[in-house]
Amino acid sequence: MRGKHIAALGLVVSGLLAGFSWAILAAPGSSGYHILKTIHLPGTEGWDYLTMDSDARILYISRENHIDAVNVDTGATVGKVTGLGGTNGLLPVPELGRGFVTNEDSNEVVIVDLKNLQKIGTVKTGKAPDSFAYDPVTKRVFIMNSAGASATAINAAEGTVAGTIALGGQPEFVVADGKGKIYINITDKDQVVEADAKTLQLLHRWPLAPGEGPSGLSMDRKNRRLFAACDNQKMIVMNADTGKVVASLRTGAGTDASVFDPDTMNAFAPAGGAGTLTIIHEDSPDKFSVLEEIDTQSGARTATLDTKTHNVITVTARHGHGSTHLDVLPNTFTVLVIGK
């Protein structure tokens, strides 16, 4: 993820003790969203993607050379995936009982058993595997190779490579529409591409203008709308069938994720530079409004959704002066749970 090389833009407010704590850190604003609680975790490792297994109540956090598995209800770390190099995250596929962990330094994906997080296999990818998505139609995991300008398709049950998609640019994030198509942000081209998950063929390439430098991507699968968080403080909403940009909404600086909740019809853009979370409501498939921009903490740039509670979860930490987010001060790593 591109944000791992960006210097931190400020310090965050965080507890100094490892463990779990409840904290009402801000009163609810007009949207009703605010920080409900914080979880403090040890370690000086940085972070990248967050993923949530809402049924199992487990949050997976990438921490440079390992994955932390944290129960979001109790705040306890319940497991780890260790022995990794430059991992960007773990993609849980509960229906198969497997997790797919990117191992960037080795250009591979490590497959683990979700019951015990033990390694059960590896699969070679392109150069610098980064983001990921699972397509339930083909039952394939798609891995975005950041430095390889490609996507590796993995047969999830067999743990074998199904093929590779040449993308013609640097992929940032990917979503599956649940109908056999995948959509990918191409960050150096300011584009979204559509591909067939079965044939592995590119179908369309669409410009994201006025969005520049897209990173996070999420989707309203029912109404076929894509939400691309961009570097120039815009959330671009695109029609996934036509490629038409239907809205451009403001966000804070330093976004690196996009989250959509189909039950509330809200999209979220966490901004690590601004220390804010922008909440956007889908009033209709072609009408969107910014409900509120709430304060979070500096550095909180990635996020995931707890589909059981409809809470948005992000993380951050304190840094030394002028350091990147990979240089975390001891015992300042914090999980922020945001909801109503």
Side-chain angles (χ1 to χ4, degrees), residues 99-337:
F100 295 79
V101 186
T102 57
N103 200 13
E104 185 174 353
D105 292 356
S106 303
N107 297 322
E108 67 181 8
V109 163
V110 175
I111 305 174
V112 299
D113 187 328
L114 289 180
K115 291 181 181 178
N116 54 24
L117 299 184
Q118 295 300 302
K119 175 180 171 181
I120 57 177
T122 59
V123 184
K124 278 296 181 182
T125 64
K127 191 174 181 181
D130 188 27
S131 63
F132 36 63
Y134 176 65
D135 171 52
V137 176
T138 59
K139 299 192 182 301
R140 288 173 174 172
V141 168
F142 288 84
I143 303 294
M144 301 300 105
N145 303 310
S146 180
S150 65
T152 300
I154 299 171
N155 296 314
E158 294 83 10
T160 58
V161 174
T164 302
I165 306 173
L167 298 174
Q170 181 184 356
E172 259 295 302
F173 208 77
V174 54
V175 294
D177 70 350
K179 296 183 177 181
K181 304 290 175 57
I182 61 171
Y183 299 85
I184 305 162
N185 272 337
I186 307 298
T187 190
D188 58 343
K189 304 291 185 182
D190 302 331
Q191 297 172 338
V192 164
V193 297
E194 178 191 41
D196 189 301
K198 182 178 181 180
T199 66
L200 306 182
Q201 299 298 308
L202 281 184
L203 302 175
H204 294 99
R205 186 181 296 273
W206 294 311
L208 271 168
E212 298 175 0
S215 53
L217 186 66
S218 61
M219 186 175 189
D220 170 6
R221 292 174 174 85
K222 179 182 177 181
N223 291 317
R224 310 285 299 165
R225 296 295 181 265
L226 297 165
F227 296 83
C230 297
D231 281 351
N232 60 337
Q233 297 182 233
K234 296 182 186 299
M235 177 76 91
I236 301 300
V237 187
M238 175 180 282
N239 184 315
D241 295 320
T242 67
K244 178 184 177 181
V245 171
V246 298
S248 173
L249 303 115
R250 74 174 189 276
T251 66
T255 56
D256 205 18
S258 173
V259 174
F260 182 78
D261 184 344
D263 291 319
T264 64
M265 302 301 286
N266 289 331
F268 304 86
T276 59
L277 178 71
T278 302
I279 303 157
I280 296 167
H281 188 258
E282 182 176 330
D283 306 320
S284 71
D286 290 327
K287 184 181 178 183
F288 304 83
S289 55
V290 175
L291 294 184
E292 193 175 11
E293 190 172 83
I294 68 169
D295 290 332
T296 54
Q297 292 178 10
S298 177
R301 72 190 199 287
T302 60
T304 190
L305 178 70
D306 182 345
T307 57
K308 286 265 187 176
T309 63
H310 306 288
N311 293 335
V312 176
I313 302 172
T314 184
V315 301
T316 192
R318 292 179 60 189
H319 308 270
H321 179 69
S323 66
T324 71
H325 81 269
L326 295 179
D327 302 311
V328 170
L329 295 177
N331 300 318
T332 67
F333 189 85
T334 308
V335 178
L336 305 176
V337 180

